[in-house]
Amino acid sequence: MNLTAEQIQQNWMRMMGFIEDHISSPRKEKLVEFYEKFSERLMLMPAAHKKEYHNAFPGGYVEHVNRVITCALHLHELWATMGADTTTYTKEELVFSALNHDLGKMGSEEEEAYVPQTDNWRREKLGEDYMFNTKVLFASVPDRGLFLLQSNGIQYTFNEMITIQTHDGLYDEANKKYLMTYMPEQKPRTSLPFIVHQADLMAARIEFEREWLPKLQGNVETKKKPFTLDNKKSAPANSAAKSKALGSVKSEGLKNLLDNL
């Protein structure tokens, strides 16, 4: 899938709108400062490095984050309707956790994590349009995301820490200590981690269906209208819109991606 420059810009503004609408001061201003500082990288980031994974295309990361936030807000209402105790977390904690659940995918402050794949065989045979930047020191996505937040003076609550840490659920064995305990006093005392995990799972599934079900059903020529979270029709971007939306790109890796938009 390819997003137009205009769609990438719209998705970015939508994400920043979630911060404006749901995060309180002074944390709001610090988050805005952080995201604007790395806007060039984050705006064009893929959500994954491989086509078989979700949203592995320029702008895929922000689109995924927006979908996770939206799913989380709807699931919050569903859980409340079904009788869950939603007083154990705030809506700000819900949005903050969903917003930053995959932040560690951006890499370090100095180096982006995903760079364009240089091996044509891996690109063509394995569907790896990106590869991992070996200049980035290893850390899990949740650990790196939490480190980036704290190193930029952005505080988070205990609820938010556990939720970001465990957003992959039991797909990550490191989360068993939080999610597979059998002692009542050791279980999470809020449903927030489960809601955000479900939101992430739902978003990734929707992105999989959009990308792969037509191909798996043999309908590879089907062209669907580009999906937008607010269901507004997006106009094709021209070169002026592209320039206005993305500005001047300093990163060599992102320049290569932008050339293909």
Side-chain angles (χ1 to χ4, degrees):
M1 179 174 177
N2 291 317
L3 298 177
T4 66
E6 185 181 41
Q7 288 172 321
I8 289 174
Q9 173 70 1
Q10 289 173 346
N11 287 338
W12 178 259
M13 296 306 296
R14 182 178 176 84
M15 188 181 75
M16 297 304 287
F18 282 123
I19 298 175
E20 179 65 31
D21 294 342
H22 294 283
I23 308 300
S24 59
S25 298
R27 189 162 68 157
K28 176 197 296 185
E29 289 73 23
K30 290 189 176 182
L31 270 175
V32 169
E33 180 182 3
F34 173 83
Y35 275 92
E36 287 182 346
K37 178 181 178 182
F38 295 103
S39 60
E40 178 183 292
R41 188 194 309 183
L42 290 166
M43 195 182 294
L44 290 176
M45 264 177 54
H49 78 290
K50 192 174 182 178
K51 290 179 181 178
E52 283 74 12
Y53 302 157
H54 62 92
N55 277 25
F57 51 79
Y61 173 80
V62 172
E63 196 208 40
H64 173 69
V65 168
N66 285 345
R67 186 172 287 104
V68 173
I69 296 173
T70 303
C71 290
L73 289 168
H74 284 293
L75 286 167
H76 161 75
E77 299 296 336
L78 176 61
W79 277 63
T81 299
M82 297 307 296
D85 184 359
T86 56
T87 66
T88 58
Y89 62 89
T90 66
K91 191 167 286 188
E92 177 171 346
E93 288 179 317
L94 177 78
V95 172
F96 182 94
S97 300
L99 171 71
N100 296 296
H101 78 283
D102 268 347
L103 182 61
K105 289 184 177 181
M106 71 168 270
S108 66
E109 294 196 29
E110 297 77 20
E111 296 284 347
E112 55 200 288
Y114 298 131
V115 294
Q117 177 61 261
T118 58
D119 187 325
N120 287 333
W121 186 88
R122 297 191 71 87
R123 182 191 293 272
E124 294 172 5
K125 302 299 183 182
L126 302 180
E128 295 180 1
D129 286 338
Y130 303 88
M131 61 183 182
F132 293 106
N133 184 356
T134 56
K135 293 181 181 179
V136 178
L137 299 177
F138 173 77
S140 70
V141 169
D143 287 346
R144 189 183 303 283
L146 291 169
F147 176 80
L148 285 167
L149 290 170
Q150 65 88 20
S151 63
N152 282 273
I154 301 170
Q155 295 185 338
Y156 42 81
T157 66
F158 186 85
N159 276 352
E160 292 163 347
M161 178 188 72
I162 297 299
T163 300
I164 291 172
Q165 195 77 51
T166 63
H167 77 267
D168 278 327
L170 290 175
Y171 287 100
D172 184 343
E173 292 208 3
N175 295 333
K176 285 184 176 180
K177 59 183 177 290
Y178 292 110
L179 304 178
M180 283 191 68
T181 177
Y182 300 101
M183 300 298 292
E185 63 272 18
Q186 294 178 343
K187 292 180 181 292
R189 303 194 184 186
T190 173
S191 294
L192 184 60
F194 304 100
I195 294 173
V196 172
H197 170 56
Q198 286 188 345
D200 188 29
L201 190 65
M202 181 186 295
R205 175 64 195 184
I206 291 168
E207 290 153 8
F208 164 80
E209 290 184 354
R210 177 184 62 179
E211 179 75 17
W212 286 98
L213 285 190
K215 299 174 184 178
L216 294 174
Q217 293 167 354
N219 198 15
V220 294
E221 298 300 324
T222 299
K223 293 184 178 180
K224 294 187 177 181
K225 182 176 70 174
F227 178 86
T228 56
L229 290 173
D230 55 4
N231 293 319
K232 293 180 180 178
K233 186 176 181 180
S234 298
N238 55 29
S239 58
K242 187 176 191 177
S243 176
K244 180 179 179 182
L246 302 177
S248 60
V249 177
K250 302 180 182 67
S251 164
E252 288 300 321
L254 293 181
K255 283 181 182 179
N256 292 334
L257 297 180
L258 183 55
D259 287 340
N260 293 321
L261 287 175

CSV table of all heavy atoms in Angstrom, one decimal, residues 70-86 89 91 94 191 194-195 198-199 202:
chain,number,residue,atom,x,y,z
A,70,THR,N,-7.8,4.9,18.2
A,70,THR,CA,-9.2,4.9,17.9
A,70,THR,C,-9.8,3.6,18.4
A,70,THR,O,-10.9,3.6,19.0
A,70,THR,CB,-9.4,5.1,16.4
A,70,THR,OG1,-8.8,6.3,16.0
A,70,THR,CG2,-10.9,5.1,16.1
A,71,CYS,N,-9.2,2.5,18.2
A,71,CYS,CA,-9.7,1.2,18.7
A,71,CYS,C,-9.8,1.2,20.2
A,71,CYS,O,-10.7,0.7,20.8
A,71,CYS,CB,-8.8,0.1,18.2
A,71,CYS,SG,-8.9,-0.3,16.4
A,72,ALA,N,-8.7,1.7,20.8
A,72,ALA,CA,-8.7,1.7,22.3
A,72,ALA,C,-9.8,2.6,22.9
A,72,ALA,O,-10.4,2.2,23.9
A,72,ALA,CB,-7.3,2.3,22.8
A,73,LEU,N,-10.1,3.7,22.3
A,73,LEU,CA,-11.2,4.5,22.8
A,73,LEU,C,-12.6,3.8,22.6
A,73,LEU,O,-13.4,3.9,23.5
A,73,LEU,CB,-11.2,5.9,22.0
A,73,LEU,CG,-10.1,6.8,22.3
A,73,LEU,CD1,-10.0,8.0,21.3
A,73,LEU,CD2,-10.2,7.4,23.8
A,74,HIS,N,-12.8,3.1,21.5
A,74,HIS,CA,-14.0,2.3,21.3
A,74,HIS,C,-14.0,1.1,22.3
A,74,HIS,O,-15.1,0.8,22.9
A,74,HIS,CB,-14.1,1.8,19.9
A,74,HIS,CG,-14.5,2.9,18.9
A,74,HIS,ND1,-15.7,3.5,18.9
A,74,HIS,CD2,-13.8,3.5,17.9
A,74,HIS,CE1,-15.8,4.4,17.9
A,74,HIS,NE2,-14.7,4.4,17.3
A,75,LEU,N,-12.9,0.5,22.5
A,75,LEU,CA,-12.9,-0.7,23.4
A,75,LEU,C,-13.1,-0.2,24.8
A,75,LEU,O,-13.7,-1.0,25.6
A,75,LEU,CB,-11.5,-1.4,23.3
A,75,LEU,CG,-11.4,-2.3,22.0
A,75,LEU,CD1,-10.0,-2.7,21.8
A,75,LEU,CD2,-12.3,-3.5,22.1
A,76,HIS,N,-12.6,0.9,25.2
A,76,HIS,CA,-12.9,1.5,26.5
A,76,HIS,C,-14.4,1.5,26.8
A,76,HIS,O,-14.9,1.1,27.8
A,76,HIS,CB,-12.3,2.9,26.6
A,76,HIS,CG,-12.8,3.7,27.7
A,76,HIS,ND1,-12.5,3.5,29.1
A,76,HIS,CD2,-13.7,4.8,27.7
A,76,HIS,CE1,-13.1,4.4,29.8
A,76,HIS,NE2,-13.9,5.2,29.0
A,77,GLU,N,-15.1,2.0,25.8
A,77,GLU,CA,-16.6,2.1,25.9
A,77,GLU,C,-17.2,0.7,26.0
A,77,GLU,O,-18.1,0.5,26.8
A,77,GLU,CB,-17.2,2.9,24.8
A,77,GLU,CG,-16.7,4.3,24.6
A,77,GLU,CD,-17.1,5.2,25.8
A,77,GLU,OE1,-18.1,4.8,26.5
A,77,GLU,OE2,-16.4,6.2,26.1
A,78,LEU,N,-16.7,-0.2,25.2
A,78,LEU,CA,-17.2,-1.6,25.2
A,78,LEU,C,-17.0,-2.3,26.6
A,78,LEU,O,-17.9,-2.9,27.1
A,78,LEU,CB,-16.6,-2.4,24.1
A,78,LEU,CG,-17.0,-3.9,24.0
A,78,LEU,CD1,-18.5,-4.1,23.8
A,78,LEU,CD2,-16.2,-4.6,23.0
A,79,TRP,N,-15.7,-2.1,27.1
A,79,TRP,CA,-15.4,-2.7,28.4
A,79,TRP,C,-16.3,-2.1,29.5
A,79,TRP,O,-16.8,-2.9,30.4
A,79,TRP,CB,-14.0,-2.6,28.7
A,79,TRP,CG,-13.1,-3.6,28.1
A,79,TRP,CD1,-12.9,-3.8,26.7
A,79,TRP,CD2,-12.3,-4.6,28.7
A,79,TRP,NE1,-12.0,-4.8,26.5
A,79,TRP,CE2,-11.6,-5.3,27.7
A,79,TRP,CE3,-12.0,-4.9,30.1
A,79,TRP,CZ2,-10.7,-6.3,28.0
A,79,TRP,CZ3,-11.1,-5.9,30.4
A,79,TRP,CH2,-10.5,-6.6,29.3
A,80,ALA,N,-16.5,-0.8,29.4
A,80,ALA,CA,-17.4,-0.2,30.4
A,80,ALA,C,-18.8,-0.7,30.3
A,80,ALA,O,-19.5,-1.0,31.3
A,80,ALA,CB,-17.4,1.3,30.2
A,81,THR,N,-19.3,-0.9,29.1
A,81,THR,CA,-20.7,-1.4,28.9
A,81,THR,C,-20.8,-2.8,29.4
A,81,THR,O,-21.9,-3.1,30.0
A,81,THR,CB,-21.0,-1.3,27.4
A,81,THR,OG1,-21.0,0.0,26.9
A,81,THR,CG2,-22.4,-1.9,27.1
A,82,MET,N,-19.8,-3.6,29.3
A,82,MET,CA,-19.8,-5.0,29.7
A,82,MET,C,-19.6,-5.1,31.2
A,82,MET,O,-19.6,-6.3,31.7
A,82,MET,CB,-18.9,-5.8,28.9
A,82,MET,CG,-19.2,-5.9,27.4
A,82,MET,SD,-20.9,-6.4,27.0
A,82,MET,CE,-20.9,-8.0,27.7
A,83,GLY,N,-19.3,-4.0,31.9
A,83,GLY,CA,-19.2,-4.1,33.4
A,83,GLY,C,-17.8,-4.0,33.9
A,83,GLY,O,-17.6,-4.2,35.1
A,84,ALA,N,-16.8,-3.7,33.1
A,84,ALA,CA,-15.4,-3.6,33.6
A,84,ALA,C,-15.3,-2.3,34.4
A,84,ALA,O,-16.0,-1.3,34.2
A,84,ALA,CB,-14.4,-3.5,32.5
A,85,ASP,N,-14.4,-2.4,35.4
A,85,ASP,CA,-14.2,-1.2,36.3
A,85,ASP,C,-13.2,-0.3,35.6
A,85,ASP,O,-12.0,-0.4,35.6
A,85,ASP,CB,-13.6,-1.6,37.6
A,85,ASP,CG,-13.4,-0.5,38.6
A,85,ASP,OD1,-13.7,0.7,38.2
A,85,ASP,OD2,-13.0,-0.7,39.7
A,86,THR,N,-13.8,0.7,34.9
A,86,THR,CA,-12.9,1.7,34.1
A,86,THR,C,-12.5,2.8,35.0
A,86,THR,O,-11.9,3.8,34.4
A,86,THR,CB,-13.6,2.2,32.9
A,86,THR,OG1,-14.9,2.8,33.2
A,86,THR,CG2,-13.9,1.0,31.9
A,89,TYR,N,-8.3,3.5,35.7
A,89,TYR,CA,-7.4,4.2,34.8
A,89,TYR,C,-8.1,5.4,34.3
A,89,TYR,O,-9.3,5.5,34.3
A,89,TYR,CB,-6.9,3.3,33.6
A,89,TYR,CG,-8.0,2.8,32.7
A,89,TYR,CD1,-8.4,3.6,31.6
A,89,TYR,CD2,-8.7,1.6,32.9
A,89,TYR,CE1,-9.4,3.2,30.8
A,89,TYR,CE2,-9.7,1.2,32.1
A,89,TYR,CZ,-10.0,2.0,31.0
A,89,TYR,OH,-11.0,1.6,30.2
A,91,LYS,N,-8.7,8.2,31.0
A,91,LYS,CA,-8.7,8.3,29.5
A,91,LYS,C,-7.4,8.8,29.0
A,91,LYS,O,-6.9,8.4,27.9
A,91,LYS,CB,-9.9,9.1,29.0
A,91,LYS,CG,-10.1,8.9,27.5
A,91,LYS,CD,-11.4,9.5,27.0
A,91,LYS,CE,-12.6,8.6,27.4
A,91,LYS,NZ,-13.9,9.0,26.7
A,94,LEU,N,-5.1,6.0,28.9
A,94,LEU,CA,-5.4,5.1,27.7
A,94,LEU,C,-4.8,5.7,26.5
A,94,LEU,O,-4.1,4.9,25.7
A,94,LEU,CB,-7.0,5.1,27.6
A,94,LEU,CG,-7.5,4.3,26.4
A,94,LEU,CD1,-7.5,2.8,26.7
A,94,LEU,CD2,-9.0,4.7,26.1
A,191,SER,N,-7.7,-2.9,33.9
A,191,SER,CA,-7.9,-3.5,32.6
A,191,SER,C,-7.1,-2.8,31.5
A,191,SER,O,-7.2,-3.3,30.3
A,191,SER,CB,-9.4,-3.6,32.3
A,191,SER,OG,-10.0,-4.4,33.2
A,194,PHE,N,-4.9,-4.8,29.0
A,194,PHE,CA,-5.7,-5.7,28.1
A,194,PHE,C,-6.4,-4.9,27.0
A,194,PHE,O,-6.5,-5.4,25.9
A,194,PHE,CB,-6.7,-6.5,29.0
A,194,PHE,CG,-6.0,-7.3,30.1
A,194,PHE,CD1,-6.0,-6.8,31.4
A,194,PHE,CD2,-5.3,-8.4,29.8
A,194,PHE,CE1,-5.4,-7.4,32.4
A,194,PHE,CE2,-4.7,-9.1,30.9
A,194,PHE,CZ,-4.7,-8.6,32.2
A,195,ILE,N,-6.9,-3.8,27.4
A,195,ILE,CA,-7.6,-2.9,26.4
A,195,ILE,C,-6.7,-2.5,25.3
A,195,ILE,O,-7.0,-2.6,24.1
A,195,ILE,CB,-8.3,-1.7,27.1
A,195,ILE,CG1,-9.4,-2.2,28.0
A,195,ILE,CG2,-8.8,-0.8,26.0
A,195,ILE,CD1,-10.0,-1.1,28.8
A,198,GLN,N,-5.6,-5.4,23.1
A,198,GLN,CA,-6.7,-5.7,22.2
A,198,GLN,C,-6.8,-4.7,21.0
A,198,GLN,O,-7.0,-5.1,19.9
A,198,GLN,CB,-8.0,-5.8,22.9
A,198,GLN,CG,-8.2,-7.1,23.7
A,198,GLN,CD,-9.6,-7.2,24.3
A,198,GLN,OE1,-10.4,-6.3,24.3
A,198,GLN,NE2,-9.9,-8.4,24.8
A,199,ALA,N,-6.6,-3.4,21.4
A,199,ALA,CA,-6.6,-2.4,20.3
A,199,ALA,C,-5.5,-2.6,19.3
A,199,ALA,O,-5.7,-2.4,18.1
A,199,ALA,CB,-6.5,-1.0,21.0
A,202,MET,N,-6.3,-5.6,17.2
A,202,MET,CA,-7.4,-5.3,16.3
A,202,MET,C,-6.9,-4.5,15.1
A,202,MET,O,-7.2,-4.8,13.9
A,202,MET,CB,-8.5,-4.5,17.0
A,202,MET,CG,-9.7,-4.2,16.1
A,202,MET,SD,-10.9,-3.1,16.9
A,202,MET,CE,-11.5,-4.2,18.2
